[in-house]
Amino acid sequence: MKLKDQSLFREAALVSGEWVQANADHHIAVDNPATGEIIGHVPKLGAAETRAAIESARIAQKDWAARTAKERGVVLRKWFELMMENKEDLGKILTLEQGKPLAEAMGEITYGASFIEWFAEEGRRINGDIIPGHQPDKRIMVMKQPIGVVAAITPWNFPNAMITRKAGPAFAAGCAMVLKPASQTPFSAIAIAILAERAGIPKGLFSVITGSAREIGGEMTANPTVRKLTFTGSTEVGAELYRQSAPTIKKLGLELGGNAPFIVFDDADLDAAVEGAIIAKFRNNGQTCVCANRIYVQDGVYDAFAEKLAGAVGKLVTGNGFDEGVILGPLIDRAALEKVEEHVADALGKGARTVTGGKRLSIGNTFYEPTVLADVTAEMAVAREETFGPVAPLFKFKDEADVIRQANDTEFGLASYFYAKDMARVFRVAEALEYGMVGVNTGLISTAEAPFGGVKLSGLGREGSSYGIEEFLELKYVCLGGVA
Ligand SMILES: NC(=O)C1=CN([C@@H]2O[C@H](COP(=O)(O)OP(=O)(O)OC[C@H]3O[C@@H](n4cnc5c(N)ncnc54)[C@H](OP(=O)(O)O)[C@@H]3O)[C@@H](O)[C@H]2O)C=CC1
Ligand SMILES: O=C(O)[C@H](O)CS(=O)(=O)O
């Protein structure tokens, strides 16, 4: 792959400020999901390297926290600028290892960099409180201090933005970070670590450890120096990390699975709803935790919406992310494709019908047609499990009470969406949906300015917005006596 700056593609991990190269007998191969070809190798590291990185982070964090918020902000701003200057190279690396079309990958770089831009400034707004004393000579102070060493574990579906959404607030707050990126997409993490060094992030403050998830995660969760673990990925792994972190009582940030409802009421603007459904369902080829996993359409507009949606879906071109005009790339691997096939077969076997798509594509081992299924019911797997692929299942509903019941009938609670015009209905439905996030007349809600996160099995805490930096701070109450 041709880059303007070839040094951004590095087959090495960053441990305690030193680059550890991959070697032939102890490495992990990384492939291009579109072609299956091996694009490079990263070192297969484990507990020992993680322990060393945590110790270096502990040391480096003291000086970093002693800098002013503005001094930290200047370094973060430089990091943001370097990401944007190298957007094309970072996008190419991302498409090569994750598969999303280059334009979408470059969009992720801009989205990811926006968290560094946002938190470069937020560090200067970490204010405390002075509270009137409870006795004449007492004064009560509340100060906020960085939590210290943070461990982060991130997924393959947004190999840039899921890292910066954690690193931005962590570094702005004065913390250090030891990161384990997904083994399928490590090169995006390595590239932004190279830029972090160039921006002036001090040695040892930021490590990127590639290798055995269980070993690295085991050290991160057991090591008492790690005071916060922030994880984005599946609910199953999130729950395991929660269990592993209990003995050392760490602060946790968990951004987990979803099962988003997308509701179209009969007073919706159908063309706008179709546009929103395309974004909410097919962004990243359906491989996002906030994707519309269930599409509920009111009886009166069901057939019209299904026809419009199928028409729009039929125009989506699937292929290699580097090819001109491609809108949907491959799924991340063969297992992901097989899960999509299982969900479609289960639905069809239980009475659903295919409106468009419904088959794997012969252009490679991980490509599936963008698909719309109709007559879908709650008994089907797509109603209860996250498909994580390009399948839009259409459910019918009678009225508001019916669809609220159906939409809330899941143990997940991350994102939800609905299209309606009546303002009273907008308030009633937004308040009734049991989710951390609600998109009203829009299918795209993710932005650095807003608090991203879920409830129930979708996780703990929020990322982004002014709320996002609180996750990396500890409150300290100081009681001043003798102030006579
Ligand atoms: N709420 C959100 O914002 C998001 C949620 N998700 C959810 O994650 C799932 C898909 O993403 P996926 O990456 O497959 O999720 P996984 O949970 O399998 O992996 C996420 C990360 O966790 C690591 N990991 C896996 N097992 C362990 C372990 N035992 N100890 C420590 N680390 C571990 C993985 O490492 P390795 O790669 O080496 O296996 C990877 O870095 C979906 O359910 C999706 O909804 C995904 C993205 C965002
Ligand atoms: O990993 C994900 O799915 C992201 O959290 C979704 S988003 O923030 O890029 O919308």
Side-chain angles (χ1 to χ4, degrees):
M1 169 191 54
K2 190 87 191 74
L3 300 176
K4 287 180 185 151
D5 179 352
Q6 209 61 40
S7 72
L8 288 176
F9 187 86
R10 186 172 294 177
E11 296 180 273
L14 179 59
V15 182
S16 306
E18 302 302 327
W19 289 97
V20 176
Q21 300 299 323
N23 60 53
D25 56 7
H26 205 52
H27 61 211
I28 295 176
V30 181
D31 74 2
N32 172 348
T35 64
E37 67 178 347
I38 301 298
I39 62 174
H41 298 82
V42 290
K44 188 169 186 178
L45 307 179
E49 295 85 357
T50 305
R51 199 171 307 119
I54 291 168
E55 177 56 12
S56 304
R58 184 190 65 79
I59 295 164
Q61 188 265 335
K62 300 284 180 227
D63 289 344
W64 180 247
R67 294 191 195 187
T68 65
K70 182 168 182 177
E71 287 167 334
R72 295 196 295 270
V74 166
V75 173
L76 288 175
R77 178 75 201 182
K78 179 65 180 167
W79 194 19
F80 160 72
E81 288 163 359
L82 287 172
M83 287 179 188
M84 294 306 286
E85 285 164 23
N86 293 278
K87 182 168 76 168
E88 190 177 333
D89 281 354
L90 295 175
K92 285 181 178 175
I93 292 169
L94 201 156
T95 295
L96 189 67
E97 63 177 357
Q98 196 272 349
K100 67 181 71 171
L102 184 56
E104 186 171 354
M106 288 170 67
E108 182 183 337
I109 303 305
T110 301
Y111 170 56
S114 73
F115 290 100
I116 304 303
E117 180 188 34
W118 172 268
F119 286 106
E121 275 306 305
E122 278 301 285
R124 299 172 67 189
R125 295 172 183 77
I126 300 176
N127 301 325
D129 292 302
I130 299 282
I131 300 170
H134 52 297
Q135 293 169 354
D137 74 324
K138 297 293 185 303
R139 298 297 181 272
I140 295 173
M141 276 182 9
V142 177
M143 55 177 75
K144 296 177 181 179
Q145 295 179 313
I147 199 162
V149 174
V150 175
I153 300 175
T154 52
W156 52 261
N157 61 343
F158 287 82
N160 173 287
M162 292 309 96
I163 295 169
T164 57
R165 194 162 77 180
K166 300 170 188 303
F171 293 148
C175 297
M177 179 174 280
V178 178
L179 163 71
K180 191 209 84 66
S183 298
Q184 291 171 299
T185 56
F187 291 113
S188 294
I190 291 162
I192 57 176
I194 292 166
L195 295 180
E197 283 185 317
R198 293 180 189 172
I201 294 281
K203 264 185 179 302
L205 193 79
F206 184 30
S207 285
V208 179
I209 312 285
T210 57
S212 159
R214 192 163 288 284
E215 271 194 52
I216 296 165
E219 180 60 29
M220 286 176 164
T221 50
N223 193 314
T225 301
V226 171
R227 296 313 316 139
K228 158 115 180 165
L229 175 75
T230 174
F231 170 75
T232 297
S234 64
T235 293
E236 295 72 24
V237 173
E240 173 60 21
L241 294 171
Y242 204 164
R243 274 191 291 276
Q244 290 176 207
S245 298
T248 50
I249 311 290
K250 294 184 191 337
K251 190 168 189 172
L252 284 177
L254 299 174
E255 295 291 350
L256 306 177
N259 182 5
F262 184 103
I263 304 167
V264 182
F265 285 99
D266 55 14
D267 69 333
D269 173 333
L270 286 192
D271 291 327
V274 167
E275 191 183 332
I278 292 288
I279 297 169
K281 176 67 255 183
F282 293 99
R283 179 168 160 253
N284 199 14
N285 206 11
Q287 299 173 117
T288 95
C289 56
V290 292
C291 274
N293 202 57
R294 298 167 286 156
I295 300 178
Y296 294 95
V297 187
Q298 197 153 14
D299 288 346
V301 294
Y302 188 87
D303 294 339
F305 179 83
E307 186 183 345
K308 283 177 179 283
L309 181 65
V313 168
K315 295 179 185 142
L316 299 175
V317 176
T318 300
N320 186 309
F322 285 110
D323 291 350
E324 197 63 39
V326 165
I327 302 295
L328 303 178
L331 291 160
I332 188 67
D333 56 26
R334 186 76 179 169
L337 175 88
E338 286 163 3
K339 179 178 182 183
V340 169
E341 288 186 319
E342 283 161 19
H343 275 194
V344 171
D346 171 81
L348 297 178
K350 292 173 182 171
R353 64 183 165 84
T354 305
V355 181
T356 185
K359 296 191 302 302
R360 67 173 67 176
L361 286 160
S362 58
I363 53 177
N365 285 333
T366 55
F367 292 93
Y368 196 85
E369 291 177 329
T371 298
V372 177
L373 299 177
D375 304 337
V376 180
T377 62
E379 291 66 42
M380 300 169 188
V382 289
R384 310 209 68 78
E385 299 167 18
E386 201 173 25
T387 302
F388 234 58
V391 177
L394 304 185
F395 299 71
K396 266 184 198 159
F397 73 91
K398 290 191 307 295
D399 55 31
E400 211 171 282
D402 176 32
V403 74
I404 292 294
R405 179 188 56 75
Q406 291 191 63
N408 286 337
D409 180 20
T410 170
E411 64 270 29
F412 292 99
L414 191 59
S416 56
Y417 310 86
F418 69 92
Y419 276 71
K421 288 188 185 135
D422 178 89
M423 203 40 72
R425 164 175 283 169
V426 165
F427 272 89
R428 285 197 305 270
V429 176
E431 289 165 356
L433 287 170
E434 297 166 358
Y435 293 84
M437 300 179 282
V438 184
V440 182
N441 295 326
T442 179
L444 184 58
I445 56 179
S446 307
T447 180
E449 288 82 355
F452 184 104
V455 297
K456 303 198 279 186
L457 293 194
S458 290
L460 295 172
R462 293 297 183 272
E463 295 188 328
S465 82
S466 303
Y467 295 91
I469 203 161
E470 300 294 332
E471 306 277 340
F472 296 90
L473 297 166
E474 287 290 10
L475 277 183
K476 181 178 281 177
Y477 154 40
V478 179
C479 184
L480 291 173
V483 183

